[in-house]
Each structure stands twice: as structure tokens, then as C-alpha cells.
Amino acid sequence: MADVVMDSGQGTSAGRDVTDLVLQDILAGVLLPGTWLKQIDLERRYNCTRPEVRRALDRLAQKRLVEHVPNRGYHVYEPDGRRAREVSEIRIILETAIVGTIIQNASLADIASLRGLAEQFDFMVLNGTMLELYEANLAFHRHLLILGGNLELVDLITEIRQRTSSAPVSQWRTRARVEQSSREHHLMIDAIEAGDAEYLKGLVRQHILQG
Amino acid sequence: MADVVMDSGQGTSAGRDVTDLVLQDILAGVLLPGTWLKQIDLERRYNCTRPEVRRALDRLAQKRLVEHVPNRGYHVYEPDGRRAREVSEIRIILETAIVGTIIQNASLADIASLRGLAEQFDFMVLNGTMLELYEANLAFHRHLLILGGNLELVDLITEIRQRTSSAPVSQWRTRARVEQSSREHHLMIDAIEAGDAEYLKGLVRQHILQG
DNA sequence: GTATCCTAAATTGGCGCCAATTTTGGATAC
DNA sequence: GTATCCAAAATTGGCGCCAATTTAGGATAC
């Protein structure tokens, strides 16, 4: 029996589960770092019940996106310079490590798909919300990582990407940076086409460090 | 560190979080892969309430140690060859990446501490339970990783180590392998003392691949 | 006028009940 | 004898209530 049910893992799910809704609002910058997440407020905001709110908060606390203070509540994690730096370092280690495999596995069809996703990102820069831009970026990078052939790694990177919750908002404020990201996406694809692993590694590193 | 090892059936399980208790039982092999975790059973087994059980199961499902099938329950994840291989690959990438930093940062005091932890592991091989052995191993590797200077990375590796839950039991059955691990621990410390990064990388890779 | 204490409102968090769904066992029909 | 169907038991999971703790505000003493 094909009884495969997509539980609320870390996949990109539609805004059904409360956990994802809160997560999206944190990533979109609606719920700012330091904000206390009162259960009664979330209950009303997302039109859901108390237990659902509590489960969502517990899950986000496990993911270390919010902090739980016993008998006082949950609040959005404040950006931590050290942590952000360390997460970036981890991402650089992981994402540069599979550059070789990505280049080996990339077919012409893959490159075409990547171009499409990169262009979709460009489109969202002009006509899209912050969230749509974020998701387009995620889709591009996800497709790129899948070429690495390690699905666990794709999930892991997607997961630790969220650990610098405040990053997307605070770093993507300027249009210049977003357009820089856009250019780098295309340069990455060029590097894959050219089969230049070392150049791609440099691009990935730079891309992560700037956001 | 005195580790609280809970025997099943015992009554007073005060203080400890239920999630950790179930986690330890999965890691220790008491709860075998595929087992259905009925809420009523866990409730009685760990002397806790229904909501506590459900929270623990939800958390373990988030960590992907158990799988949740709606309206049917939770069961311990079956070992997946592909996943285990991919997790090993990730660990190799991360742990070999910080070998250089580890060697740079390792003081004489650190090396002495590592020797002590390695010897504690040796001791547990002879006079210790499976869980104590597992924890001694964890303590050694944790101390090693901390020398890398990236605390997020330490937590991350500790976390993904648990993703191959069935590994410790199934792979550590033979004494030969455990003693091989023991030898490798000491060889790693030797490599650190000698400042030989490349040799240490090879050891780490081999250590992860064999379990 | 300010600090402290005490009371009241608000919030968190534990707990049990009940409905919805699934599983199991047995009875019946072919 | 076997397959199918139905009913009873068991299990999951949603929901709301109430106690414990914290916070805020006001009254009182100095």
C-alpha cells in the first residue's frame, strides 16, 4: 500500500501546518527577533487551537528558532554574531565539498532547469514579495544541491539555513545585494557548464558569506 | 559523568525528560527498528502522562528517529542503507574539514584530556554497558570536535550522529570492531601530537566508515 | 515623591475526557 | 472451507478546563 504521508517534516509544504506559518512569519521578518510569542495571540492570528500553538512553539524551540523560558513563554531568537558566523562556516564546508560531484552529475537538462530557476529568482527581485524571493532562492539552491547526489545533505543544508532566521531580512534589505546574488547564480551555472570546480567553490563561498 | 540509566519497569523516573528516555532506549537497542510505539505502553513504561508521551513522540519524529503515520501511530525508523551511507559521507566531510584547526588548537592539556577519555572508553569496553560505551565514545569525540572551535558544528555532528540510530547496536556487536575503535582513538591522539593533518584525516574517515 | 509590598489580572502549562478512525475477531453466506 | 462483512474493542488525536506561576498596577508607609 502506498501509504506515504508527508508529515510536517522540513520539506517545503504549503501553509497548512501552524508551525510552517509561524516559521514563515519569522523568516519574512513579520515576527522580529526578541518578540515574545504569546499563545493567545498566535491562537487568534492563525485561527487555530491552543494545543496546535503549543506544538508549533515546541517544534520551533527544537529547531532553535525560538527560545523557551519556563513559565514565561517563547520568544524569537536574537541574532547571534558568533552563531551566524559558525553556521556560515558549516555551510561553506558542506556546499563546497560537493561541488565536484555537482559538476560531474549536471546534465544539459539540469543546467537548463537551473537557468530557469535563476531567471525566476530574477523575476521575483522585481515583481515579488520578500517571501516569494526567499522561496525562489531556496528552490534554486535546492536544485543545485540535489545534483550532489546526497539527499540527506540537501535536507541538512535546508535545515541549517533556517538557523540564521534573522539573516534573510536584515541582509536582503538592500537591492544591491539581491542583484549581486542574482548575478552570482548565473555565474555558478556558467562555472558548471565550463566544468571549473575551483571557480565554483570560490563563488559558493562568496555567495554564502554575503548572504 | 554519572549517567542515569533507566531500567524499564522501574517506577520513579522523576527529573529526566521522557524524550531522552525513549531516545536512549532506541539507541541502546531496547526498542528495535520497526517497533510500534503505542502511547499507552510508553505511558506505563516511563511512568508519565499522555501529553508527555505525545510531545516526546513528536520531537523524535522531528528528529526523524521515529516515523509518524496519521491515525496509526509512531514506529521506530528502520535502518536505511542509503541514508546511513549519506550520513556517513556528511560526517566525513564535516569532521575532516576541521582537522587542521583541531591540530592547531590542541594544547598539551587537551591531549592529556583526550587520552583520559580514550582510556575511559577502553575501560568501558571491558566493564561497561552498551550505553555507557556509547556515551564514552560520544564524550571522546565531543571533546575532539570542540577543539575545532565551532560550537555549532559540534552540536550538528552530535545531532546527525543520532540519525543512524540503529547503527550503534548493529555495528558494535562484535568486540573486534570496538577494539579497533579503541585503537583508532589512540592513533588519532598520536596524529594530533605529531601534527600530521593528512594522517588524521585518513583516520577520521576510516573511523566513521567502520562505525 | 519614592520605594515596597500586596492584591488582581494575565499567561503558561499540565491533565483528562471524548470523538474519529483503525484494527481485530467472529459470524454468516456461498 | 474460505471469503466477506459487520460489530466491538482499542488506539489515536483534538480540545478545553483548571491549577501554578508570573507580571502589572495600585495602595500604603516612610
Side-chain angles (χ1 to χ4, degrees):
Chain A
M1 262 161 279
D3 226 281
V4 182
V5 179
M6 259 289 276
D7 194 32
S8 64
Q10 53 251 340
T12 49
S13 55
R16 248 190 164 190
D17 187 16
V18 194
T19 313
D20 291 326
L21 280 129
V22 182
L23 176 62
Q24 283 183 354
D25 276 349
I26 292 174
L27 292 169
V30 180
L31 299 170
L32 291 155
T35 314
W36 284 94
L37 301 172
K38 286 187 226 161
Q39 298 183 3
I40 191 85
D41 288 343
L42 301 181
E43 196 173 339
R44 281 197 274 259
R45 188 175 219 282
Y46 302 105
N47 259 71
C48 57
T49 63
R50 180 63 60 96
E52 281 179 304
V53 169
R54 228 186 296 172
R55 181 153 50 110
L57 288 171
D58 187 65
R59 284 181 178 176
L60 292 172
Q62 295 295 309
K63 287 184 178 177
R64 305 181 60 183
L65 261 138
V66 303
E67 190 180 15
H68 174 51
V69 185
N71 289 323
R72 289 185 75 192
Y74 300 79
H75 64 87
V76 183
Y77 247 82
E78 308 250 11
D80 180 346
R82 177 188 63 78
R83 235 185 88 179
R85 211 177 318 117
E86 291 185 355
V87 169
S88 290
E89 191 185 335
I90 292 171
R91 282 187 57 198
I92 289 171
I93 291 170
L94 289 173
E95 299 191 35
T96 57
I98 54 166
V99 154
T101 319
I102 287 172
I103 289 179
Q104 280 177 359
N105 291 356
S107 68
L108 290 174
D110 291 323
I111 291 172
S113 297
L114 284 171
R115 283 268 181 238
L117 290 169
E119 277 160 16
Q120 184 133 11
F121 180 84
D122 301 346
F123 178 79
M124 288 305 175
V125 173
L126 300 172
N127 341 12
T129 67
M130 190 68 86
L131 185 59
E132 285 172 327
L133 186 66
Y134 180 76
E135 303 235 345
N137 186 50
L138 214 66
F140 172 80
H141 283 281
R142 175 168 275 268
H143 199 97
L144 189 68
L145 292 171
I146 286 173
L147 294 177
N150 189 324
L151 296 179
E152 278 298 309
L153 185 55
V154 177
D155 281 349
L156 183 65
I157 292 173
T158 308
E159 195 186 315
I160 64 173
R161 234 164 193 277
Q162 296 175 342
R163 294 195 183 179
T164 50
S165 59
S166 51
V169 187
S170 59
Q171 295 187 346
W172 286 18
R173 256 190 315 227
T174 65
R175 168 157 300 223
R177 289 217 162 164
V178 179
E179 286 178 347
Q180 175 68 12
S181 282
S182 170
R183 270 192 298 276
E184 284 171 356
H185 287 168
H186 288 286
L187 287 175
M188 284 182 197
I189 303 173
D190 294 342
I192 293 170
E193 272 187 318
D196 192 338
E198 283 310 311
Y199 180 47
L200 183 52
K201 276 189 191 176
L203 284 171
V204 168
R205 175 190 303 272
Q206 187 185 334
H207 194 69
I208 292 169
L209 285 176
Q210 74 133 14
Chain B
M1 295 112 209
D3 297 303
V4 181
V5 181
M6 275 304 300
D7 250 44
S8 57
Q10 264 297 346
T12 55
S13 62
R16 205 69 164 198
D17 185 19
V18 194
T19 313
D20 291 329
L21 278 112
V22 182
L23 176 63
Q24 284 184 354
D25 276 349
I26 292 174
L27 260 47
V30 181
L31 299 170
L32 291 154
T35 313
W36 284 94
L37 301 171
K38 287 186 225 163
Q39 298 182 2
I40 191 84
D41 287 343
L42 301 180
E43 195 174 338
R44 282 199 273 259
R45 188 177 221 282
Y46 302 106
N47 258 68
C48 57
T49 63
R50 180 63 60 96
E52 280 179 304
V53 170
R54 235 192 286 174
R55 182 154 51 112
L57 288 172
D58 187 66
R59 284 182 179 175
L60 293 172
Q62 293 297 308
K63 287 185 177 176
R64 308 186 51 186
L65 262 139
V66 303
E67 190 182 14
H68 174 52
V69 184
N71 289 322
R72 291 177 104 201
Y74 300 78
H75 65 88
V76 182
Y77 247 83
E78 308 250 12
D80 181 347
R82 177 187 65 77
R83 237 186 84 176
R85 211 177 320 118
E86 290 185 356
V87 168
S88 290
E89 192 185 333
I90 293 170
R91 282 188 55 198
I92 290 171
I93 291 170
L94 289 173
E95 298 190 37
T96 58
I98 55 166
V99 153
T101 319
I102 288 172
I103 288 180
Q104 281 178 358
N105 291 358
S107 69
L108 290 174
D110 291 323
I111 290 172
S113 298
L114 284 172
R115 285 264 183 240
L117 290 169
E119 277 159 17
Q120 183 134 12
F121 180 84
D122 302 345
F123 177 79
M124 288 305 176
V125 173
L126 300 173
N127 340 14
T129 68
M130 191 68 86
L131 185 59
E132 284 172 328
L133 185 65
Y134 180 77
E135 303 239 342
N137 187 49
L138 213 68
F140 172 81
H141 284 281
R142 175 166 275 268
H143 199 97
L144 190 66
L145 292 171
I146 286 173
L147 294 176
N150 188 325
L151 295 180
E152 278 296 312
L153 184 56
V154 178
D155 283 348
L156 183 65
I157 292 173
T158 307
E159 195 186 315
I160 65 174
R161 231 161 195 276
Q162 296 175 341
R163 293 195 184 180
T164 50
S165 60
S166 50
V169 187
S170 60
Q171 294 187 347
W172 286 19
R173 256 192 311 229
T174 66
R175 169 157 300 224
R177 290 215 162 165
V178 179
E179 286 178 349
Q180 175 67 12
S181 282
S182 170
R183 269 192 298 275
E184 285 171 356
H185 287 168
H186 288 285
L187 287 174
M188 285 182 197
I189 302 172
D190 294 342
I192 293 170
E193 271 188 317
D196 192 339
E198 285 309 310
Y199 180 48
L200 183 52
K201 276 188 191 176
L203 284 171
V204 168
R205 174 190 304 272
Q206 188 186 334
H207 194 69
I208 292 169
L209 286 176
Q210 75 130 17

